[in-house]
Amino acid sequence: MLLVTGGAGYIGSHFVKEYLSKPGSEVVVVDNLIEGHRRALHSLGDELTKRIHLIEADIADERTVADAMERYYVDSVMHFAGFCYVGDSEAEPSRYFENNVAGSLKLFKVMDALGVKKLVFSSSCATYGDPQYAPLDELHPQNPVSVYGLTKYLIEQALWSYGRTKNWSTVCLRYFNAAGADESGLIGESHEPETHLIPRVLKAAKGEIDHLEVFGDDYETDDGTCIRDYVHVNDLADAHIRALDLLNVKTYSEAINLGTADGASVKRVIDLSKEVTGRDIKVKYSKRRPGDVAKLVANCSKAKELLGWQPKYDLRKTIETAWNWEQNRRY
Ligand SMILES: NC(=O)c1ccc[n+]([C@@H]2O[C@H](COP(=O)([O-])OP(=O)(O)OC[C@H]3O[C@@H](n4cnc5c(N)ncnc54)[C@H](O)[C@@H]3O)[C@@H](O)[C@H]2O)c1
């Protein structure tokens, strides 16, 4: 049985839906619902929901996690649970170290005690820090410049250690910017407050916020705004399934980038969003934010080679799915 931490969150719930598309499959979800939504799992419909065993608990609750692993004969883990805002992590480092790092170490302790050795981890391009070249491949030095990036880096290091000492098989998937929503419109992105660009652009299109604030238009890019690599959440889910298949074949300790290799500037996202929504989007430019780099784009050759993975969604389709969700969001 597969255990999914953070399975009620944005990316986790899209993974759960994709995983359950295999008839008869079941998952155990451990989520404390601090950021996640019970509705995300209930929205999937009775047939899927009855194959989800939701345990409302913290990953640091060793007793409950151990009980769940034993009761459901868990043999592999998808580890999505964690806090994921760079700005918050700088304001509250202790919270991030405790939840992300200490929480993960407790999860790993329980896995170790029960002999569970396969895990796919949600890592991040934030582990690289300031890019020395673009696009970034997995050999780029890891010098995280935020507390958030550092927490992901430390968890990766712990996983390499379990690989070396205990023969664990792990894949750290370093996502770039997750975006979009499931085409069904049943699930999508719902963070409070929402800081990610695409949902904020669409909230401005909807009139839910008065304008979109863009931080800096004087970067060394063609139009002066930052370039990021937006990868559709269902493409991420697909990569997770492939990573799990890999772990079932052989022992690995790998880190793999997940992006589209096609960077888009903030202005490009806004222009495409205007086309997709047919609405005007009010924009105000302000000063650069500390810590934002001009360009973050993935080199995804390794994902193609090792996982046979290629993103299916381009930016327009990603924005279309996000807009579909934004207009009819359920939570
Ligand atoms: N969204 C992105 O662009 C992005 C990019 C790179 C990496 N990631 C990583 O991917 C993972 C999922 O991101 P997301 O955008 O779906 O975030 P999310 O906040 O929507 O989902 C995280 C889930 O984990 C749960 N959770 C958090 N701490 C927990 C704990 N201690 N115990 C149990 N459950 C806990 C939350 O309730 C939530 O359901 C995170 O680890 C994040 O750092 C996200």
Side-chain angles (χ1 to χ4, degrees):
M1 174 80 86
L2 177 67
L3 183 141
V4 183
T5 74
Y10 169 44
I11 305 169
S13 59
H14 285 75
F15 166 77
V16 167
K17 179 170 184 280
E18 177 69 23
Y19 185 77
L20 294 180
S21 63
K22 197 166 92 192
S25 51
E26 295 178 32
V27 285
V28 180
V29 169
V30 173
D31 197 306
N32 58 12
L33 301 179
I34 279 187
E35 303 279 350
H37 306 269
R38 197 185 294 277
R39 285 274 322 258
L41 300 176
H42 285 167
S43 298
L44 298 177
D46 289 349
E47 207 284 307
L48 259 56
T49 304
K50 70 174 187 237
R51 294 194 269 131
I52 302 169
H53 307 282
L54 173 61
I55 294 163
E56 191 178 335
D58 197 290
I59 53 166
D61 179 347
E62 293 174 43
R63 187 67 262 145
T64 304
V65 174
D67 282 350
M69 284 193 181
E70 286 186 311
R71 182 165 159 217
Y72 292 106
Y73 302 99
V74 168
D75 61 6
S76 353
V77 175
M78 287 277 158
H79 183 26
F80 294 97
F83 293 150
C84 54
Y85 291 114
V86 170
D88 284 357
S89 78
E90 294 291 292
E92 297 179 274
S94 305
R95 230 179 118 237
Y96 270 68
F97 284 122
E98 175 146 15
N99 194 56
N100 292 7
V101 183
S104 295
L105 294 180
K106 288 194 169 159
L107 172 72
F108 302 162
K109 185 176 155 197
V110 172
M111 288 174 61
D112 187 32
L114 297 177
V116 178
K117 290 171 183 269
K118 288 183 282 186
L119 181 138
V120 180
F121 171 55
S122 301
S123 190
S124 166
C125 62
T127 60
Y128 293 121
D130 292 335
Q132 294 172 12
Y133 54 85
L136 284 93
D137 57 22
E138 293 81 357
L139 297 175
H140 186 285
Q142 288 180 290
N143 292 309
V145 291
S146 65
V147 170
Y148 168 68
L150 181 58
T151 65
K152 294 288 174 183
Y153 174 75
L154 293 172
I155 298 165
E156 284 196 4
Q157 295 299 312
L159 289 172
W160 307 148
S161 302
Y162 278 107
R164 191 173 50 75
T165 58
K166 297 290 189 114
N167 208 29
W168 280 25
S169 192
T170 62
V171 176
C172 295
L173 295 174
R174 295 181 185 150
Y175 319 154
F176 281 62
N177 290 59
D182 191 60
E183 286 175 48
S184 65
L186 296 174
I187 50 176
E189 186 165 13
S190 181
H191 294 122
E192 192 50 52
E194 187 59 77
T195 60
H196 291 151
L197 179 67
I198 292 178
R200 285 195 69 77
V201 172
L202 298 177
K203 280 179 193 305
K206 217 171 140 192
E208 200 174 308
I209 55 176
D210 172 66
H211 64 273
L212 177 79
E213 187 171 7
V214 174
F215 301 99
D217 60 351
D218 56 351
Y219 284 93
E220 282 166 10
T221 57
D222 283 350
D223 64 22
T225 61
C226 288
I227 293 178
R228 295 291 179 268
D229 188 339
Y230 298 93
V231 54
H232 195 277
V233 64
N234 280 352
D235 281 327
L236 293 180
D238 174 37
H240 278 261
I241 308 259
R242 289 166 188 263
L244 185 62
D245 289 345
L246 199 69
L247 298 187
N248 286 330
V249 172
K250 174 170 160 211
T251 303
Y252 282 94
S253 268
E254 293 288 352
I256 303 176
N257 284 344
L258 295 178
T260 61
D262 179 28
S265 71
V266 174
K267 279 189 182 158
R268 169 108 183 100
V269 170
I270 296 168
D271 288 345
L272 259 181
S273 300
K274 284 183 184 167
E275 284 177 31
V276 167
T277 63
R279 309 221 181 147
D280 190 29
I281 296 167
K282 239 204 280 176
V283 176
K284 286 189 185 162
Y285 290 94
S286 49
K287 280 196 306 207
R288 293 182 183 197
R289 266 186 319 203
D292 276 346
V293 298
K295 184 172 178 180
L296 274 175
V297 178
N299 174 328
C300 301
S301 312
K302 192 169 172 184
K304 191 172 177 191
E305 192 187 309
L306 218 55
L307 304 177
W309 177 84
Q310 262 189 311
K312 297 186 187 77
Y313 292 80
D314 62 13
L315 185 59
R316 175 182 288 274
K317 186 81 187 144
T318 297
I319 294 173
E320 281 170 3
T321 60
W323 181 232
N324 180 40
W325 163 252
E326 195 58 53
Q327 288 174 298
N328 306 290
R329 53 165 64 239
R330 294 157 179 245
Y331 52 89

